[in-house]
Amino acid sequence: MIWIDTDMGLDDILAVMIIAGHRDISGISLVFGNAPLEQVRKNAAGACSLLGWRTPIHTGAANAILGETITPAHVLGPTGIKTRGARLPECPPVPESPAQAALCTWLESLDAPGEILALGPLTNLAILALSRPDLLTKIAKITWMGGGAGRGNQTASAEFNAFADPEAVQIVVNSRVPLDIVDLELCRQVLIGPDDLLALEASGTEKGLVLADLCGAYVDIALERGREKMAVYDPCAAAALVIPEAFTFAPGFVAVELAGTHTRGRTVLDQRPGVPPNCRWAMHADAPRVLSLTLETLQKAALS
Ligand code: RIB
Ligand code: CA
């Protein structure tokens, strides 16, 4: 069983689709990130309507633990999902249902520890770690798309999910729950371009055309910056759970910069000999396999 914590942008939706095709999802919790929480709740409702999801969805944190609450509206627009014209079905937000209570109930119910896939700022999981440390042994592992040890995408040095709530990242790291990090650099190994979407565009179904439009707009983020292809973010973390043999991880010690004027939110990975690890860091992905999994998932949804 697996729980997904997400800020429900387009790449989050693809990641949920990948997991849904291979695992039972026990619940989904929402967090601010790609858009303000209220919009994230609408995106979740729209995704449920388009894709027929039945998994219970719960509402988590609207704000970071300490810092300013930010969203990438300047890149993705007000909904957090860039579009060429199509939209997810307009729906009222998913019903109010507190994420912390739902996460605790799920963990308490487990006979064997469960896994969590985290696709946004780690605020919900940090709150859980602080409020119910007794439940942390019920988490087998958190797999998180976030952080980066190279060029940032939100600032020069920080990845968005880490920058959006750096204190939450450090709290989750300090909790000592087994943590697999699928960072920005890893995700940049898996690239999607306009040609990869031709089959989806040709699917001819209403669902396929909406997905093709939104994926096309996602690729446009790179094209508008003079690059030919866009990094596939959250689906990489999902793929690490579905096809783990396509990834290599190495142990490392991660800490988060909380104070730097230019480096707040930067994750610093220490892999020097003798430094005790506190996470596993994704080093390499079989990019064609991960991209195929993502495209096959889209195609299947378009034709279902
Ligand atoms: O930096 C990429 C991450 O930021 C992804 O999770 C994307 O959905 C946004 O949240
Ligand atoms: Ca995300």
Side-chain angles (χ1 to χ4, degrees):
M1 298 300 255
I2 187 164
W3 187 280
I4 301 180
D5 189 70
T6 162
D7 57 341
M8 218 45 104
L10 191 262
D11 62 329
D12 300 71
I13 291 170
L14 301 186
V16 175
M17 289 165 70
I18 289 171
I19 297 292
H22 296 85
R23 303 270 290 268
D24 283 334
I25 304 174
S26 299
I28 293 176
S29 47
L30 303 179
V31 63
F32 79 95
N34 279 310
L37 185 65
E38 193 64 5
Q39 180 61 48
V40 167
R41 291 175 63 204
K42 288 185 188 164
N43 292 352
C48 287
S49 168
L50 183 74
L51 300 164
W53 294 346
R54 298 276 173 269
T55 309
I57 300 186
H58 310 280
T59 303
N63 296 295
I65 286 177
L66 265 188
E68 194 189 337
T69 300
I70 55 146
T71 68
H74 59 294
V75 180
L76 301 177
T79 66
I81 298 181
K82 196 169 156 65
T83 171
R84 286 176 171 175
R87 293 204 177 277
L88 292 175
E90 280 283 335
C91 300
V94 289
E96 190 59 83
S97 157
Q100 289 298 324
L103 253 169
C104 291
T105 303
W106 176 64
L107 290 169
E108 282 162 352
S109 75
L110 293 175
D111 292 329
E115 287 193 68
I116 297 178
L117 174 63
L119 305 170
L122 287 177
T123 320
N124 288 338
L125 302 184
I127 293 170
L128 176 76
L130 293 177
S131 60
R132 291 297 305 271
D134 57 305
L135 288 178
L136 296 181
T137 53
K138 293 288 200 92
I139 304 174
K141 184 174 70 180
I142 296 172
T143 299
W144 178 48
M145 188 282 124
R151 173 169 55 90
N153 65 350
Q154 178 64 24
T155 68
S157 53
E159 181 278 333
F160 175 78
N161 289 338
F163 184 79
D165 197 344
E167 281 76 16
V169 181
Q170 194 60 60
I171 290 166
V172 169
V173 168
N174 290 354
S175 77
R176 309 301 300 200
V177 170
L179 177 64
D180 277 2
I181 295 184
V182 177
D183 84 317
L184 207 48
E185 287 302 312
L186 185 288
C187 297
R188 286 176 175 145
Q189 294 175 21
V190 183
L191 299 171
I192 185 167
D195 289 353
D196 298 314
L197 297 174
L198 294 177
L200 192 60
E201 283 158 4
S203 68
T205 67
E206 208 175 310
K207 208 189 296 181
L209 292 177
V210 172
L211 290 170
D213 177 294
L214 302 180
C215 290
Y218 180 81
V219 170
D220 288 345
I221 297 171
L223 303 186
E224 286 161 9
R225 286 163 174 70
R227 302 193 302 266
E228 289 178 8
K229 295 188 175 194
M230 179 68 189
V232 174
Y233 296 137
D234 295 341
C236 282
L241 295 175
V242 169
I243 45 170
E245 67 281 5
F247 291 78
T248 54
F249 282 84
F253 178 91
V254 67
V256 188
E257 180 58 80
L258 301 177
T261 304
H262 302 290
T263 53
R264 180 170 159 78
R266 168 74 168 210
T267 47
V268 179
L269 177 65
D270 191 345
Q271 293 183 305
R272 290 173 297 169
V275 176
N278 62 4
C279 74
R280 297 194 320 153
W281 195 273
M283 307 303 291
H284 182 262
D286 180 338
R289 270 198 80 185
V290 178
L291 185 61
S292 293
L293 175 67
T294 306
L295 297 176
E296 281 161 20
T297 301
L298 280 162
Q299 200 66 22
K300 210 166 159 187
L303 300 177
S304 70

